[in-house]
Amino acid sequence: QICLSLVKLLFYLAHSPLGSIVLLDFQPRQFVMVDGNLKVTDMDDASTEELSCKEDNDCTLEFPTKSFPLKCSTVGKCEGINEKKNLFNAYRYFFTYLLPYSAPSPLQPFLSDILNATGDLRYGINETLKAFEKVLHLYKSGLYLQKRPLLLKEYISLKGFRTVEAEDYKCWPSYSHLGCLLSVHSAEEAAAICSSQSQCQSFIVTQQRTWTGRPLASFQSSPTDLIPDVNAVVYIKRSASSGERL
């Protein structure tokens, strides 16, 4: 969410009515999340000036660990230097820290492609935004889910009940520090996640939604302590259920 919001912001800066705007003091502390969108807190160090040049050799974009040769345009400006500077700083300060941990494993190769392409400045801001929107579409639609055996049939569903919220086993990347709370596309994906975790014996798909509209599923190591809830369904592994527990 943070990276996509940042890319949308940089897309606007690259195509602003004032021309291409560069953030000269590009640091994480210069940004803040407001209602799920990344905002710049200080525009004092923003500039629309693009580096003047006479030849291509005048247009090297320098960073502490990398440099990139750019073209000198016919009007004597280094082509796209503001856009590329913003994009590489986004890679340095945000993408390298957030993207490797931001998606289910089938989507991680797409994020790796974005990471590598922006790190080498092979993508401009237009291509980067398009790549992010493709990943978001796959994520929200569930199209990333690989064909696999249907595992939900291995669970007993108890309608009208939910589990008591309590501290349980931890997982990554959980939305709760108390236990294992993950975003899922459906109950079928939740069943696949539960089946892949040795501690998991039951799960419930909650009414909570993430910023993408996907529900959160809570995974537990024990199917006990059920309480009535007409809007809920608890899924319990058949291997974990017994006459005594039910």
Side-chain angles (χ1 to χ4, degrees):
Q1 181 182 16
I2 293 171
C3 291
L4 175 61
S5 187
L6 175 59
V7 168
K8 288 180 176 179
L9 173 61
L10 297 187
F11 179 85
Y12 172 78
L13 294 179
H15 302 285
S16 85
L18 299 176
S20 183
I21 298 174
V22 63
L23 300 176
L24 298 174
D25 185 19
F26 197 114
Q27 299 284 340
R29 64 173 179 269
Q30 300 282 49
F31 301 90
V32 64
M33 290 292 285
V34 179
D35 297 328
N37 295 305
L38 208 65
K39 307 285 186 181
V40 183
T41 60
D42 184 2
M43 291 295 288
D44 289 346
D45 293 311
S47 173
T48 57
E49 271 192 49
E50 292 194 306
L51 187 64
S52 297
C53 58
K54 293 182 178 178
E55 56 184 25
D56 290 350
N57 287 339
D58 298 329
C59 292
T60 300
L61 183 56
E62 299 277 0
F63 291 97
T65 58
K66 277 190 176 182
S67 61
F68 301 95
L70 304 181
K71 296 288 185 182
C72 183
S73 71
T74 54
V75 295
K77 298 291 183 180
C78 296
E79 288 184 358
I81 191 167
N82 288 351
E83 172 188 330
K84 292 180 184 297
K85 189 170 185 178
N86 284 340
L87 189 54
F88 190 77
N89 277 327
Y91 162 82
R92 290 170 67 198
Y93 293 113
F94 288 89
F95 297 172
T96 53
Y97 297 105
L98 299 178
L99 285 189
Y101 317 104
S102 300
S105 54
L107 289 177
Q108 287 174 5
F110 294 96
L111 296 183
S112 293
D113 287 345
I114 294 173
L115 195 62
N116 293 333
T118 53
D120 294 334
L121 285 185
R122 286 184 285 109
Y123 280 1
I125 192 62
N126 294 1
E127 295 88 351
T128 304
L129 179 57
K130 185 176 180 181
F132 267 103
E133 288 179 336
K134 176 183 178 180
V135 176
L136 180 63
H137 172 67
L138 293 173
Y139 185 62
K140 290 174 71 174
S141 65
L143 290 172
Y144 69 91
L145 294 170
Q146 299 168 333
K147 290 184 178 179
R148 63 181 77 181
L150 298 179
L151 298 173
L152 196 57
K153 64 181 184 295
E154 298 179 7
Y155 292 78
I156 296 170
S157 61
L158 295 178
K159 296 182 179 179
F161 290 93
R162 64 178 172 86
T163 53
V164 176
E165 187 174 351
E167 190 167 350
D168 209 319
Y169 78 93
K170 310 296 192 297
C171 68
W172 176 261
S174 177
Y175 282 80
S176 170
H177 67 280
L178 292 176
C180 188
L181 186 66
L182 300 174
S183 165
V184 297
H185 178 257
S186 62
E188 184 62 55
E189 184 182 12
I193 292 172
C194 188
S195 296
S196 70
Q197 298 176 346
S198 59
Q199 307 100 311
C200 185
Q201 298 299 316
S202 67
F203 68 89
I204 178 173
V205 180
T206 73
Q207 300 297 310
Q208 294 175 269
R209 300 275 170 169
T210 69
W211 66 281
T212 61
R214 287 162 53 101
L216 293 176
S218 177
F219 300 88
Q220 289 101 21
S221 59
S222 172
T224 56
D225 298 326
L226 302 180
I227 57 176
D229 185 335
V230 294
N231 297 315
V233 181
V234 176
Y235 297 88
I236 303 173
K237 276 184 182 177
R238 292 183 183 276
S239 59
S241 65
S242 66
E244 182 181 346
R245 281 178 172 168
L246 295 178

